Amino acid sequence: MKKKFIIAFVLLTLPFVSNAQSGETTEAIKDTAKLKCIYRMTFQPDSNDVYNIVAENTFLLIGSKLSRFQTVNSFLADSMAFSPTNPAIKTHIINLTNYPKSRFQFIVYKRGVSIITVDNIYTSFYKYTEEINFQWRISAEQQKIAGYDCFKATTSFAGRSYVAWFTKQIPISEGPYKFRGLPGLIVKINDDKNQYKFELASVTKPKTQLAITFSNKRITSTNKQGFRKGLADYQARAIDVQAQHGSAYGDLDTQRKLYNERMKHRNNPLELK
């Protein structure tokens, strides 16, 4: 029988954090989705294992001034966990074995020149803002992908080189994850080692009003370097942190060895730097 990991929602305070905003309740940005794009994401968790390829569905909501990108499973898990009808909300305890699993918990919001990433370390949520000016090189090469006439473009980002295919048939300068800046929607993009790939599966106009909302509530501000350091610090002592909050079971030395073995095969993050 699988052990059930019960996690209490306790704020994990890390020394790298600055400008704490956990008390903010004002919703900073609101918009309504004009398009909903589903992308199939495939990735290689272990850089040394080319046969271990994992797939997840992701979605991109595009509004007039704001977009939101997230994996489908992380969205479903959040929706279920924080539903007002969930009895666990009253006790602040959630059984994670009952919820959809995703390797990626981040939410990416794009607004103007700013890209806001919301992510978590254990049970605490953080955000950092970047201004990324992608240097795209557009070629004359064309290809039909997913029914769209696409043009090829290349760029580099966060330690990887990427090849993208975009279509002017959907003249919106958007794409999956943090990618944008082309004269059309990105239909397909992958790094040159094919370790990460996003492929458009569908584009629809929502039949009912679909809100895109970014709120600072219960989110602490940091920067990208601070978040990555905090995540590395947590991963170095994850089992001990979980034990302190009652969510690690059995012999801790055994749990540490199992955790460290799992992490050895998760050595290939989307952003290398």
Side-chain angles (χ1 to χ4, degrees):
M1 181 182 295
K2 291 183 178 180
K3 293 180 179 178
K4 294 184 177 180
F5 290 88
I6 310 297
I7 289 185
F9 287 95
V10 180
L11 179 65
L12 177 65
T13 304
L14 296 173
F16 74 93
V17 175
S18 62
N19 301 322
Q21 298 182 17
S22 57
E24 289 190 20
T25 57
T26 303
E27 292 181 345
I29 317 167
K30 286 185 177 181
D31 203 352
T32 302
K34 299 187 297 182
L35 288 178
K36 179 179 180 180
C37 305
I38 301 295
Y39 287 89
R40 185 68 167 171
M41 176 186 185
T42 54
F43 59 97
Q44 183 183 325
D46 186 343
S47 61
N48 299 312
D49 187 354
V50 297
Y51 299 104
N52 180 22
I53 302 298
V54 183
E56 284 199 46
N57 285 328
T58 66
F59 69 88
L60 171 67
L61 301 180
I62 304 173
S64 300
K65 58 183 179 182
L66 181 68
S67 69
R68 170 177 174 147
F69 179 82
Q70 186 176 8
T71 69
V72 171
N73 278 352
S74 67
F75 173 78
L76 292 175
D78 289 346
S79 300
M80 293 168 64
F82 293 102
S83 169
T85 61
N86 190 336
I89 292 297
K90 296 180 181 179
T91 60
H92 305 289
I93 294 176
I94 299 295
N95 181 356
L96 295 184
T97 60
N98 295 331
Y99 297 95
K101 303 297 186 296
S102 175
R103 291 283 183 91
F104 304 94
Q105 303 303 317
F106 58 70
I107 306 173
V108 175
Y109 296 93
K110 283 173 271 188
R111 183 197 188 199
V113 297
S114 297
I115 298 177
I116 304 169
T117 301
V118 177
D119 209 336
N120 72 297
I121 299 175
Y122 191 43
T123 60
S124 298
F125 290 86
Y126 303 91
K127 72 168 185 177
Y128 59 88
T129 302
E130 304 169 273
E131 292 186 5
I132 303 172
N133 181 23
F134 288 100
Q135 300 298 311
W136 292 104
R137 296 171 292 279
I138 300 175
S139 77
E141 190 174 346
Q142 299 183 43
Q143 193 175 128
K144 204 170 190 70
I145 303 174
Y148 295 99
D149 296 324
C150 297
F151 295 84
K152 183 180 179 181
T154 57
T155 193
S156 296
F157 173 63
R160 296 182 184 273
S161 297
Y162 285 92
V163 176
W165 295 88
F166 69 96
T167 179
K168 295 180 180 180
Q169 292 174 264
I170 305 177
I172 297 176
S173 184
E174 264 290 0
Y177 192 50
K178 298 177 182 179
F179 299 107
R180 64 177 180 185
L182 287 165
L185 182 71
I186 295 174
V187 174
K188 178 182 176 181
I189 183 167
N190 59 272
D191 72 298
D192 59 357
K193 295 181 180 179
N194 271 318
Q195 293 178 344
Y196 280 86
K197 182 189 299 182
F198 298 90
E199 296 177 284
L200 185 67
S202 67
V203 179
T204 56
K205 293 182 178 180
K207 295 180 180 179
T208 58
Q209 192 174 68
L210 190 57
I212 310 173
T213 304
F214 172 76
S215 172
N216 285 315
K217 189 176 181 180
R218 295 191 299 274
I219 300 175
T220 303
S221 292
T222 183
N223 54 42
K224 183 176 179 179
Q225 293 72 25
F227 179 83
R228 294 184 67 171
K229 181 181 184 303
L231 180 60
D233 290 346
Y234 165 72
Q235 290 174 342
R237 56 190 180 95
I239 298 302
D240 298 290
V241 172
Q242 292 171 21
Q244 290 172 9
H245 294 96
S247 58
Y249 298 87
D251 179 71
L252 292 186
D253 285 336
T254 300
Q255 293 302 313
R256 289 188 195 99
K257 289 178 182 178
L258 291 173
Y259 177 82
N260 291 336
E261 187 61 30
R262 287 198 304 272
M263 295 307 294
K264 286 180 183 178
H265 301 288
R266 297 182 183 180
N267 59 22
N268 194 26
L270 177 51
E271 295 191 24
L272 296 175
K273 63 182 183 180

